[in-house]
Amino acid sequence: MTIETALEALRSLPGARLTKTRAARQAHGENETHFPPAPPHAVVFPETTGDVSEILKICNTHGCPVTAFGAGTSLEGHHLPVRGGISLDTSRMNRVLRINTEDMDATVQPGVTREDLNTRLRATGLFFPVDPGANATLGGMAATRASGTTAVRYGTMRENVLALEAVLADGRIVRTGTRARKSSAGYDLTRLLVGSEGTLAILTELTVRLQGQPEAISAATCRFPSVEDAVNTVITTIQSGLPMARIELVDEMMVRGFNLHQGSDLPEAPHLFLEFHGSEAGVAEQAESFGSLARDFGAAGFRWTTHSEDRSALWRMRHQAHLATRALNPSRRVLSTDVCVPISRLAEAVKTAQTDSRALGLTCTIVGHVGDGNFHCGVLIDPGDPDETSRADTFSDKLAKLALNLGGTVTGEHGIGLGKRKYMHAEHGDAVAIMRMLKSALDPSGILNPGKLLPDAD
Amino acid sequence: MTIETALEALRSLPGARLTKTRAARQAHGENETHFPPAPPHAVVFPETTGDVSEILKICNTHGCPVTAFGAGTSLEGHHLPVRGGISLDTSRMNRVLRINTEDMDATVQPGVTREDLNTRLRATGLFFPVDPGANATLGGMAATRASGTTAVRYGTMRENVLALEAVLADGRIVRTGTRARKSSAGYDLTRLLVGSEGTLAILTELTVRLQGQPEAISAATCRFPSVEDAVNTVITTIQSGLPMARIELVDEMMVRGFNLHQGSDLPEAPHLFLEFHGSEAGVAEQAESFGSLARDFGAAGFRWTTHSEDRSALWRMRHQAHLATRALNPSRRVLSTDVCVPISRLAEAVKTAQTDSRALGLTCTIVGHVGDGNFHCGVLIDPGDPDETSRADTFSDKLAKLALNLGGTVTGEHGIGLGKRKYMHAEHGDAVAIMRMLKSALDPSGILNPGKLLPDAD
């Protein structure tokens, strides 16, 4: 029962396509944030569900850890094989299996990225709405319950995955859910696997909801005297029932980063960036209604457009928040937080984050999916400066605890992975015991992504 | 370890408020459909989560079955204590604990009904949108993952329950989820408990999403030459992105029932009933857009209104489908089916249901939440006529299997309960084994609503 005996057996399995090259191991042990590298012993490249099943049977027999790898864009180190074993790379499971235009759904293998899928959908009049910014795989997005700028309108992966095929730790293949839009038939295994971060099963097929491409899209921007004014505008807009497709807060430091990175000249004040989807008349009416609401809260510089170039430029800017944060000090790396709070407490949370980061002498940008109460602080850190790193950790820790005190969560969309395990007891209390029961029931040998999501046993 | 020793212990527990009167036992053993009565040994009336916890500790120790009882409106016998033991009546857990207008959520005890909650919300400008027709309790609606006419716009209980407090079989109290709109923090225990039909835990507190009362509402009706034309109109309307709040199919036999029951004079043809929520200009535009789409599919008699009396009359008629079905033959009872299929297969499913019911000599009405692909056949049966009952069973069985063949589910919103257990293997295959693992992990003694949801072990 060792990893080495598992690797021997996998080498004889054609469907594993096992490689142990240094380059492959290194590439699968890297991450985009601040976690130390953790290369696997080997990498496998299955192409079919059957391949995954055979791989898991071998790994389960020999107690070899299995960590799924999609596009490697996780911000919480989900794909890092911290206990060694194999990295199960889904890049060859990249087929769009079926697009149902009448039912507005698609069935894909887990290695299909959201941009791949949307490219395939372009001629159908449909699109897949969940947009985390990065070109992640749909398997990875489902595993982390990802969302992004459009969740306020279209929901997260929780709402957009209809059905799954998955392989259990012992190699059994199961299907959960159906293509029907709703069901009351038994335990919701689909929602149990969405967000399970590869710790309960390996996803091998996903059926996702699609949306009709809107007839018209309008985008709007305006600035506010304070973050509170911006957030109060958001609350009022939501209560009014205006169907926003995106509503993003950008704080004054983030604006400075955009100006540096993009050469723009936005006034350094809190901004909202919005998008509306609907009919030509509808999106015009919605943008104007929003503008008049916003002016009641002191908004200035209100502009809206339906021109696609202007809209694209706006969202390109927004999606480059990470690079724009680095533009404030190119020698630093970025630590990204991810709290999500009830929207009535959002202004308080954002103001506290600004105050705390300044008090700790940190440079910090804030962007937020404020329609959901979710925002990210981008804290610049020099990994070689233990004092700065420690102050950044203090900041991140205070913010996580504040979010819990305000009735929120430590992670709105990035997931627990490695970095947030220490908050599981604080967020879930005794419910962590239930999660451990579920993990033990479904993965008794503990081979699936060990060291993630659940804290180490007490 | 007997039920009697549990009852002895419960009698000494003030929070149990135990009663064994014949009237209480009978009332808790009845149902609205065709299942035989199944009275509990006794009924308890807890008022607090602590009461529920103490009750469950006793029942778990003594192996006494516990079946939760809300308003008793289940159509699949969920609340029937088929293995005896106690009925845990939540009617005294009927407090609205908190309404957050800024966050648009409310926290309630499980015995609050949806009408109670909406009455409390009237002055706030908010409403709770899930509407199964019956005035069910929110605890029961969550337990069965209920939905109804508005799911096409606002989702089901799956999307509208943010957080839960629940008591496990052994009396432990846990909280799942938070008031944040989204989270990626670990396994989705909230969604695991929603739809678990009281078999994994007893829900003691629910936090639900609210919606802003729309500024304006329009309702529309029209008739079609055929069910296919009506369904094709629905598919095109959804693809066009028109944000319908309700879209209901009524077949020609159901129209006959309405005419008999209500004294109306609608032409006996398939109809669609719709509702739009939005701004004054928006709902007018949406109704007109729908009308012009529908005419392309042969719609006639298109009418729309924003008058609240006319709208109320329309939905009162729709919600009396059960009584209107009985009006076709007042001596009969009604068996209600609940399949849900991908919308591209909906016309085929509805047509087959009409053809099969006629071929079997049954009187059958059809109403459907067609935006979701979910429809109900109301089959008239004389419980004293074994031949008719057997033909109704044959019909229901064929329809369930057809739905599975079409990629759908045997139950869109009523739940498995007693009546649909026989289809669990056909719908879920090996995933039933996972459900059994979850049940064993969370309720090892099997005291929670035994005999429901899962089929008996092979």
Side-chain angles (χ1 to χ4, degrees):
Chain A
M1 272 245 331
T2 67
I3 290 173
E4 283 309 323
T5 50
L7 297 185
E8 276 311 310
L10 288 169
R11 207 189 307 272
S12 320
L13 182 72
R17 297 173 195 79
L18 181 131
T19 176
K20 292 176 74 172
T21 65
R22 187 190 164 107
R25 293 176 55 233
Q26 273 192 342
H28 289 78
E30 288 296 340
N31 71 105
E32 294 199 350
T33 48
H34 56 285
F35 300 104
H41 285 81
V43 184
V44 293
F45 293 91
E47 290 183 359
T48 68
T49 302
D51 293 343
V52 174
S53 172
E54 294 303 317
I55 290 166
L56 289 193
K57 280 180 198 165
I58 289 171
C59 291
N60 199 45
T61 302
H62 297 288
C64 174
V66 179
T67 301
F69 185 99
T73 54
S74 162
L75 297 175
E76 292 292 355
H78 291 97
H79 60 280
L80 295 177
V82 290
R83 306 271 168 92
I86 62 163
S87 176
L88 187 151
D89 184 309
T90 61
S91 60
R92 295 198 190 189
M93 299 182 76
N94 63 347
R95 284 181 301 138
V96 175
L97 301 171
R98 192 169 45 203
I99 295 171
N100 299 278
T101 54
E102 282 194 313
D103 294 317
M104 300 171 69
D105 64 42
T107 301
V108 302
Q109 287 190 304
V112 172
T113 70
R114 65 174 185 86
E115 289 181 6
D116 290 344
L117 178 59
N118 277 321
T119 301
R120 282 288 301 276
L121 290 171
R122 203 164 287 157
T124 64
L126 302 173
F127 78 111
F128 176 70
V130 184
D131 178 5
N135 187 23
T137 61
L138 293 170
M141 288 170 64
T144 54
R145 208 181 292 126
S147 47
T149 51
T150 58
V152 66
R153 171 70 175 263
Y154 299 106
T156 72
M157 289 303 277
R158 184 177 77 193
E159 288 79 26
N160 284 285
V161 176
L162 286 169
L164 292 170
E165 180 192 72
V167 180
L168 301 183
D170 61 10
R172 265 183 297 175
I173 300 164
V174 295
R175 290 188 167 273
T176 72
T178 71
R179 288 179 51 242
R181 281 306 161 102
K182 63 182 193 183
S183 171
S184 287
Y187 305 147
D188 191 345
L189 300 181
T190 305
R191 251 51 58 181
L192 179 62
L193 294 183
V194 169
S196 65
E197 304 187 359
T199 65
L200 297 181
I202 301 290
L203 309 182
T204 49
E205 207 178 286
L206 302 91
T207 299
V208 296
R209 290 184 70 152
L210 306 174
Q211 298 287 333
Q213 291 167 11
E215 176 191 327
I217 301 177
S218 65
T221 60
C222 58
R223 64 180 185 273
F224 291 87
S226 71
V227 162
E228 287 91 334
D229 293 316
V231 170
N232 286 328
T233 302
V234 175
I235 292 175
T236 307
T237 307
I238 290 174
Q239 289 188 336
S240 76
L242 263 190
M244 298 159 292
R246 309 183 200 245
I247 186 160
E248 297 285 304
L249 173 71
V250 170
D251 87 335
E252 50 270 44
M253 187 65 82
M254 189 73 254
V255 171
R256 187 184 299 178
F258 286 143
N259 286 343
L260 275 169
H261 182 60
Q262 312 263 341
S264 52
D265 60 352
L266 292 170
E268 285 184 16
H271 277 65
L272 289 179
F273 295 174
L274 296 95
E275 193 167 272
F276 298 97
H277 293 179
S279 65
E280 289 285 351
V283 301
E285 184 200 0
Q286 288 156 16
E288 289 292 356
S289 299
F290 172 78
S292 106
L293 275 176
R295 276 184 281 263
D296 290 345
F297 292 93
F302 175 70
R303 289 184 304 168
W304 70 273
T305 178
T306 56
H307 290 138
S308 76
E309 299 77 23
D310 297 345
R311 287 192 289 105
S312 298
L314 180 71
W315 297 114
R316 200 161 44 240
M317 176 194 289
R318 165 64 189 86
H319 277 146
Q320 299 204 343
H322 190 82
L323 292 171
T325 299
R326 293 193 66 177
L328 291 164
N329 189 337
S331 69
R332 296 292 202 278
R333 296 197 74 166
V334 180
L335 177 149
S336 176
T337 69
D338 181 38
V339 298
C340 185
V341 299
I343 200 165
S344 65
R345 316 307 294 271
L346 181 61
E348 179 182 352
V350 172
K351 283 306 291 180
T352 306
Q354 288 185 327
T355 308
D356 286 354
S357 61
R358 285 168 198 163
L360 286 159
L362 297 164
T363 301
C364 169
T365 59
I366 294 180
V367 288
H369 313 310
V370 283
D372 306 313
N374 183 210
F375 68 96
H376 307 301
C377 299
V379 183
L380 287 171
I381 49 171
D382 174 357
D385 178 346
D387 178 63
E388 190 170 70
T389 307
S390 156
R391 282 181 282 126
D393 285 344
T394 301
F395 170 74
S396 175
D397 196 59
K398 278 190 75 170
L399 185 57
K401 287 170 181 160
L402 174 69
L404 295 178
N405 282 336
L406 298 179
T409 174
V410 299
T411 173
E413 56 184 19
H414 293 171
I416 295 293
L418 287 169
K420 298 288 188 291
R421 292 199 305 154
K422 59 188 168 194
Y423 302 118
M424 285 292 280
H425 281 295
E427 177 155 345
H428 298 290
D430 287 347
V432 172
I434 304 188
M435 296 190 200
R436 285 197 204 286
M437 286 181 197
L438 301 179
K439 171 73 175 172
S440 300
L442 289 177
D443 178 23
S445 306
I447 63 162
L448 293 175
N449 209 1
K452 309 291 166 57
L453 194 143
L454 286 165
D456 292 329
D458 310 316
Chain B
M1 273 250 324
T2 67
I3 290 174
E4 283 308 323
T5 51
L7 297 185
E8 277 309 311
L10 288 169
R11 208 190 306 273
S12 320
L13 181 73
R17 296 172 195 80
L18 181 130
T19 176
K20 292 176 73 172
T21 65
R22 188 189 163 105
R25 292 175 55 233
Q26 274 192 341
H28 290 77
E30 286 298 338
N31 72 105
E32 293 199 351
T33 48
H34 57 284
F35 300 104
H41 284 82
V43 185
V44 294
F45 292 91
E47 290 183 359
T48 67
T49 301
D51 292 343
V52 175
S53 172
E54 294 303 319
I55 291 166
L56 289 193
K57 279 179 198 165
I58 289 171
C59 290
N60 199 44
T61 301
H62 298 287
C64 174
V66 179
T67 301
F69 184 99
T73 55
S74 162
L75 297 176
E76 292 292 356
H78 291 97
H79 61 278
L80 294 177
V82 288
R83 307 271 167 92
I86 63 164
S87 176
L88 188 150
D89 184 308
T90 61
S91 60
R92 295 199 190 189
M93 299 182 76
N94 62 348
R95 283 180 300 137
V96 175
L97 301 170
R98 194 169 43 205
I99 294 171
N100 300 278
T101 54
E102 283 194 313
D103 294 317
M104 299 170 70
D105 63 44
T107 301
V108 301
Q109 287 190 303
V112 172
T113 69
R114 66 175 185 85
E115 289 181 6
D116 289 345
L117 179 59
N118 277 321
T119 301
R120 282 288 302 276
L121 290 171
R122 203 165 286 156
T124 65
L126 302 173
F127 78 111
F128 176 70
V130 185
D131 178 3
N135 187 24
T137 62
L138 293 170
M141 288 171 64
T144 53
R145 207 181 293 125
S147 47
T149 52
T150 58
V152 67
R153 170 70 174 265
Y154 299 107
T156 72
M157 289 303 277
R158 184 176 77 194
E159 288 79 27
N160 284 286
V161 176
L162 285 168
L164 292 170
E165 179 190 73
V167 180
L168 302 182
D170 61 10
R172 266 183 295 175
I173 299 163
V174 295
R175 290 188 167 274
T176 72
T178 71
R179 289 181 51 245
R181 281 304 161 103
K182 63 183 193 182
S183 171
S184 287
Y187 306 147
D188 191 344
L189 300 181
T190 304
R191 249 54 56 181
L192 179 62
L193 295 182
V194 170
S196 65
E197 304 187 359
T199 66
L200 297 180
I202 301 290
L203 308 182
T204 49
E205 207 178 286
L206 302 90
T207 299
V208 295
R209 291 184 70 154
L210 305 174
Q211 299 288 333
Q213 290 168 11
E215 178 192 326
I217 300 177
S218 65
T221 59
C222 57
R223 64 179 185 273
F224 291 87
S226 71
V227 162
E228 286 92 335
D229 292 317
V231 170
N232 286 328
T233 302
V234 175
I235 292 175
T236 307
T237 307
I238 290 174
Q239 289 188 336
S240 77
L242 263 191
M244 298 159 292
R246 309 185 201 244
I247 185 160
E248 296 286 305
L249 174 71
V250 171
D251 87 335
E252 50 271 42
M253 187 65 82
M254 189 72 255
V255 171
R256 187 183 301 177
F258 286 143
N259 287 343
L260 275 170
H261 182 61
Q262 311 263 340
S264 51
D265 58 353
L266 292 171
E268 285 185 15
H271 278 66
L272 289 178
F273 294 175
L274 294 96
E275 192 166 273
F276 298 98
H277 294 177
S279 65
E280 289 285 352
V283 301
E285 184 199 1
Q286 288 155 18
E288 289 292 357
S289 300
F290 170 78
S292 105
L293 275 176
R295 275 184 281 263
D296 290 345
F297 292 92
F302 176 69
R303 289 184 304 168
W304 71 273
T305 178
T306 56
H307 290 138
S308 75
E309 299 78 23
D310 297 344
R311 286 193 289 104
S312 299
L314 179 70
W315 297 113
R316 200 163 43 241
M317 177 195 290
R318 165 64 187 86
H319 277 145
Q320 299 203 346
H322 190 81
L323 292 172
T325 299
R326 293 192 67 175
L328 292 165
N329 190 338
S331 69
R332 298 292 202 277
R333 297 199 74 169
V334 180
L335 177 149
S336 176
T337 70
D338 181 37
V339 298
C340 186
V341 297
I343 199 165
S344 65
R345 315 307 295 271
L346 181 60
E348 178 182 352
V350 172
K351 281 308 291 179
T352 306
Q354 288 184 328
T355 309
D356 286 354
S357 61
R358 285 169 197 162
L360 286 159
L362 298 163
T363 301
C364 168
T365 60
I366 295 181
V367 288
H369 313 310
V370 282
D372 306 313
N374 183 208
F375 67 97
H376 307 301
C377 299
V379 183
L380 287 172
I381 49 172
D382 174 357
D385 178 346
D387 178 62
E388 189 170 71
T389 307
S390 157
R391 281 180 282 126
D393 285 345
T394 301
F395 170 74
S396 176
D397 196 59
K398 277 190 77 170
L399 184 57
K401 286 169 182 161
L402 174 70
L404 295 178
N405 284 335
L406 298 178
T409 173
V410 299
T411 171
E413 58 184 17
H414 293 170
I416 295 292
L418 287 169
K420 299 287 189 288
R421 293 198 305 155
K422 58 187 169 195
Y423 302 118
M424 286 292 280
H425 282 295
E427 176 154 345
H428 298 292
D430 287 347
V432 172
I434 305 187
M435 296 190 199
R436 285 198 204 284
M437 286 181 195
L438 302 179
K439 171 73 175 172
S440 299
L442 289 176
D443 179 22
S445 306
I447 63 163
L448 294 175
N449 208 1
K452 309 290 166 58
L453 194 143
L454 286 164
D456 291 330
D458 311 316

mmCIF file of all heavy atoms in Angstrom, chain A residues 216-231:
data_model
loop_
_atom_site.group_PDB
_atom_site.id
_atom_site.type_symbol
_atom_site.label_atom_id
_atom_site.label_comp_id
_atom_site.label_asym_id
_atom_site.label_seq_id
_atom_site.Cartn_x
_atom_site.Cartn_y
_atom_site.Cartn_z
ATOM 1 N N ALA A 216 -30.173 43.026 -26.256
ATOM 2 C CA ALA A 216 -29.406 44.266 -26.099
ATOM 3 C C ALA A 216 -28.711 44.255 -24.745
ATOM 4 O O ALA A 216 -29.164 43.609 -23.799
ATOM 5 C CB ALA A 216 -30.332 45.478 -26.200
ATOM 6 N N ILE A 217 -27.591 44.959 -24.690
ATOM 7 C CA ILE A 217 -26.826 45.074 -23.446
ATOM 8 C C ILE A 217 -26.456 46.539 -23.253
ATOM 9 O O ILE A 217 -26.000 47.192 -24.200
ATOM 10 C CB ILE A 217 -25.525 44.238 -23.512
ATOM 11 C CG1 ILE A 217 -25.844 42.759 -23.748
ATOM 12 C CG2 ILE A 217 -24.693 44.413 -22.247
ATOM 13 C CD1 ILE A 217 -24.613 41.876 -23.900
ATOM 14 N N SER A 218 -26.672 47.053 -22.053
ATOM 15 C CA SER A 218 -26.166 48.396 -21.761
ATOM 16 C C SER A 218 -25.199 48.303 -20.588
ATOM 17 O O SER A 218 -25.349 47.445 -19.721
ATOM 18 C CB SER A 218 -27.310 49.365 -21.440
ATOM 19 O OG SER A 218 -27.961 48.992 -20.245
ATOM 20 N N ALA A 219 -24.187 49.161 -20.611
ATOM 21 C CA ALA A 219 -23.249 49.237 -19.499
ATOM 22 C C ALA A 219 -23.278 50.659 -18.970
ATOM 23 O O ALA A 219 -23.529 51.611 -19.721
ATOM 24 C CB ALA A 219 -21.844 48.877 -19.958
ATOM 25 N N ALA A 220 -23.060 50.800 -17.673
ATOM 26 C CA ALA A 220 -23.108 52.128 -17.060
ATOM 27 C C ALA A 220 -21.999 52.253 -16.027
ATOM 28 O O ALA A 220 -21.564 51.251 -15.445
ATOM 29 C CB ALA A 220 -24.467 52.354 -16.395
ATOM 30 N N THR A 221 -21.533 53.469 -15.812
ATOM 31 C CA THR A 221 -20.576 53.738 -14.734
ATOM 32 C C THR A 221 -20.950 55.053 -14.060
ATOM 33 O O THR A 221 -21.535 55.941 -14.681
ATOM 34 C CB THR A 221 -19.124 53.901 -15.249
ATOM 35 O OG1 THR A 221 -19.085 54.998 -16.177
ATOM 36 C CG2 THR A 221 -18.619 52.644 -15.931
ATOM 37 N N CYS A 222 -20.613 55.144 -12.787
ATOM 38 C CA CYS A 222 -20.705 56.425 -12.098
ATOM 39 C C CYS A 222 -19.832 56.354 -10.857
ATOM 40 O O CYS A 222 -19.389 55.272 -10.464
ATOM 41 C CB CYS A 222 -22.149 56.780 -11.724
ATOM 42 S SG CYS A 222 -22.946 55.564 -10.684
ATOM 43 N N ARG A 223 -19.548 57.528 -10.264
ATOM 44 C CA ARG A 223 -18.705 57.546 -9.070
ATOM 45 C C ARG A 223 -19.498 58.128 -7.910
ATOM 46 O O ARG A 223 -20.525 58.790 -8.112
ATOM 47 C CB ARG A 223 -17.429 58.352 -9.316
ATOM 48 C CG ARG A 223 -17.651 59.809 -9.602
ATOM 49 C CD ARG A 223 -16.320 60.527 -9.839
ATOM 50 N NE ARG A 223 -16.529 61.967 -10.004
ATOM 51 C CZ ARG A 223 -16.810 62.557 -11.158
ATOM 52 N NH1 ARG A 223 -16.916 61.841 -12.272
ATOM 53 N NH2 ARG A 223 -17.009 63.860 -11.212
ATOM 54 N N PHE A 224 -19.017 57.866 -6.694
ATOM 55 C CA PHE A 224 -19.753 58.262 -5.493
ATOM 56 C C PHE A 224 -18.821 58.969 -4.520
ATOM 57 O O PHE A 224 -17.615 58.745 -4.529
ATOM 58 C CB PHE A 224 -20.333 57.015 -4.812
ATOM 59 C CG PHE A 224 -21.444 56.373 -5.595
ATOM 60 C CD1 PHE A 224 -21.159 55.431 -6.578
ATOM 61 C CD2 PHE A 224 -22.765 56.739 -5.383
ATOM 62 C CE1 PHE A 224 -22.181 54.857 -7.320
ATOM 63 C CE2 PHE A 224 -23.789 56.164 -6.124
ATOM 64 C CZ PHE A 224 -23.495 55.218 -7.094
ATOM 65 N N PRO A 225 -19.406 59.805 -3.645
ATOM 66 C CA PRO A 225 -18.593 60.471 -2.619
ATOM 67 C C PRO A 225 -17.949 59.454 -1.671
ATOM 68 O O PRO A 225 -16.866 59.693 -1.152
ATOM 69 C CB PRO A 225 -19.597 61.338 -1.861
ATOM 70 C CG PRO A 225 -20.780 61.469 -2.752
ATOM 71 C CD PRO A 225 -20.813 60.251 -3.609
ATOM 72 N N SER A 226 -18.621 58.313 -1.415
ATOM 73 C CA SER A 226 -18.087 57.345 -0.446
ATOM 74 C C SER A 226 -18.549 55.948 -0.827
ATOM 75 O O SER A 226 -19.506 55.772 -1.597
ATOM 76 C CB SER A 226 -18.606 57.667 0.960
ATOM 77 O OG SER A 226 -19.987 57.349 1.038
ATOM 78 N N VAL A 227 -17.863 54.960 -0.255
ATOM 79 C CA VAL A 227 -18.252 53.562 -0.445
ATOM 80 C C VAL A 227 -19.667 53.328 0.074
ATOM 81 O O VAL A 227 -20.456 52.589 -0.539
ATOM 82 C CB VAL A 227 -17.228 52.650 0.269
ATOM 83 C CG1 VAL A 227 -17.788 51.263 0.475
ATOM 84 C CG2 VAL A 227 -15.932 52.584 -0.523
ATOM 85 N N GLU A 228 -20.034 53.973 1.202
ATOM 86 C CA GLU A 228 -21.390 53.809 1.745
ATOM 87 C C GLU A 228 -22.441 54.249 0.729
ATOM 88 O O GLU A 228 -23.469 53.585 0.559
ATOM 89 C CB GLU A 228 -21.599 54.629 3.032
ATOM 90 C CG GLU A 228 -20.903 54.087 4.251
ATOM 91 C CD GLU A 228 -19.507 54.655 4.427
ATOM 92 O OE1 GLU A 228 -18.886 55.058 3.408
ATOM 93 O OE2 GLU A 228 -19.026 54.685 5.577
ATOM 94 N N ASP A 229 -22.195 55.390 0.082
ATOM 95 C CA ASP A 229 -23.170 55.863 -0.905
ATOM 96 C C ASP A 229 -23.318 54.866 -2.042
ATOM 97 O O ASP A 229 -24.428 54.593 -2.514
ATOM 98 C CB ASP A 229 -22.733 57.227 -1.459
ATOM 99 C CG ASP A 229 -22.792 58.318 -0.400
ATOM 100 O OD1 ASP A 229 -23.797 58.362 0.342
ATOM 101 O OD2 ASP A 229 -21.837 59.119 -0.312
ATOM 102 N N ALA A 230 -22.181 54.323 -2.464
ATOM 103 C CA ALA A 230 -22.240 53.336 -3.553
ATOM 104 C C ALA A 230 -23.029 52.107 -3.110
ATOM 105 O O ALA A 230 -23.904 51.619 -3.832
ATOM 106 C CB ALA A 230 -20.823 52.939 -3.978
ATOM 107 N N VAL A 231 -22.746 51.608 -1.912
ATOM 108 C CA VAL A 231 -23.413 50.387 -1.447
ATOM 109 C C VAL A 231 -24.899 50.643 -1.202
ATOM 110 O O VAL A 231 -25.741 49.803 -1.531
ATOM 111 C CB VAL A 231 -22.721 49.839 -0.185
ATOM 112 C CG1 VAL A 231 -23.542 48.719 0.436
ATOM 113 C CG2 VAL A 231 -21.327 49.331 -0.536
#
